[in-house]
Amino acid sequence: MRIAIFGTGGAGGYFGAQLARAGEDVIFIARGKHLQAIHTQGLRVETPKGEIVIQPAQAVDDPTQVGVVDSVIVGVKTWQVTEAARAMQPMIGPNTFVVPLQNGVEAPSQLAEVLGTDHVLGGLCGTMSWIVGPGHIRSIGEMHFIKFGELDKRPSERAKQLRQAFERAGVKVEVPSDIHVSLWEKFLFVVSFGGVGAVTRAPIEVIRTLPETRRLLEECLREIFAVARARQVALSDGSVEKSMAFLDSLALGGTTSLQRDIADGKPSELEAWNGAAVRLGREVGVATPVHEFIYHSLLPLELRARGKVQFPA
């Protein structure tokens, strides 16, 4: 398959490198020093099992240079999705399909608004990978997976072909019968963990151990579960308990990208995480007071990181 990786960050770089190493025709969309390093040194992915180096790597910053591809895997930040959809249009042919990997549940609809629903699948991934330097991605742990599927829940040949490409690359891959359930299952735990972690500035072993913060985490989970059910998402009855069990299994020191970005004074995905939980709840008349408190508490820091308000650190 001819596959474009739009956004060669931690997730896009990791999964794109796996596909390229397996022989797929992969084109990386990157920019700046990251792109320059990929051109001169290749794309380097450091993993516990050794390094993957894709050299030479096909990499550009201008999608108009790529031509039509079979699939686009979208690895940009949540607030960049709509801009990315417009930029990738020269790569979209009649049969091209796009798979977003963003945390959150709104990326498929944002892409569909620009590209049309027929070109968009739902998708998500799990990986602990990030850029540590130009052209250099570090990946740790063993939790690396990708899931995608048609938004109308039907089986499709194109999803099957992409699944087979990932299988050839040795990536754990799944095409769920209902991608919306998978999206909301991840949204449930990552938004709750991220919000509580960002407010408390504590790692997961502290949050889940202290009775007070554990209750806060559980209440966040219950709020999102209620929103999902009200939006006709078929989360199972045990989803909250399953999410807590997963959070209890995480390694000591675990944090989310939201927590790390806010602590570092960087723009974060707050709007697509806790902000979305509040917004999506309001649309169906479900109150989310804990997420609303978290969102409102973190909003001044988010706006400062984006240069919209100023106050001392």
Side-chain angles (χ1 to χ4, degrees), residues 166-200:
F166 276 108
E167 287 175 342
R168 290 191 293 269
V171 173
K172 184 178 179 182
V173 58
E174 180 184 349
V175 179
S177 59
D178 188 339
I179 191 61
H180 300 281
V181 169
S182 296
L183 286 167
W184 277 85
E185 284 176 342
K186 185 177 183 184
F187 189 69
L188 184 70
F189 79 80
V190 77
V191 171
S192 300
F193 174 23
V196 175
V199 165
T200 62

Side-chain angles (χ1 to χ4, degrees), residues 292-303:
E292 189 167 353
F293 168 78
I294 290 171
Y295 174 60
H296 290 171
S297 297
L298 297 175
L299 190 57
L301 298 173
E302 180 70 20
L303 294 175

Side-chain angles (χ1 to χ4, degrees), residues 104-252:
V105 293
E106 298 173 301
S109 61
Q110 291 168 341
L111 289 166
E113 285 178 6
V114 177
L115 303 173
T117 304
D118 290 344
H119 288 290
V120 180
L121 274 64
L124 67 145
C125 71
T127 184
M128 296 184 70
S129 305
W130 63 96
I131 296 175
V132 293
H136 182 191
I137 291 168
R138 179 171 297 148
S139 181
I140 63 173
E142 298 296 326
M143 189 193 74
H144 308 286
F145 67 85
I146 188 165
K147 300 181 182 182
F148 46 84
E150 299 288 349
L151 296 175
D152 62 5
K153 308 176 191 178
R154 63 183 172 85
S156 72
E157 184 63 25
R158 61 186 185 178
K160 178 182 175 182
Q161 290 177 351
L162 186 59
R163 174 177 59 78
Q164 291 172 339
F166 276 108
E167 287 175 342
R168 290 191 293 269
V171 173
K172 184 178 179 182
V173 58
E174 180 184 349
V175 179
S177 59
D178 188 339
I179 191 61
H180 300 281
V181 169
S182 296
L183 286 167
W184 277 85
E185 284 176 342
K186 185 177 183 184
F187 189 69
L188 184 70
F189 79 80
V190 77
V191 171
S192 300
F193 174 23
V196 175
V199 165
T200 62
R201 301 205 170 193
I204 187 58
E205 74 267 21
V206 174
I207 294 170
R208 69 194 180 200
T209 301
L210 289 175
E212 294 83 358
T213 49
R214 188 177 182 90
R215 285 197 297 270
L216 194 66
L217 188 58
E218 290 172 339
E219 188 56 37
C220 282
L221 292 167
R222 284 192 286 268
E223 287 182 2
I224 292 181
F225 179 82
V227 173
R229 281 290 186 85
R231 299 184 72 88
Q232 307 302 311
V233 179
L235 289 182
S236 64
D237 290 338
S239 293
V240 170
E241 292 74 18
K242 180 181 176 182
S243 292
M244 280 304 302
F246 177 76
L247 291 165
D248 282 334
S249 74
L250 292 179
L252 302 180

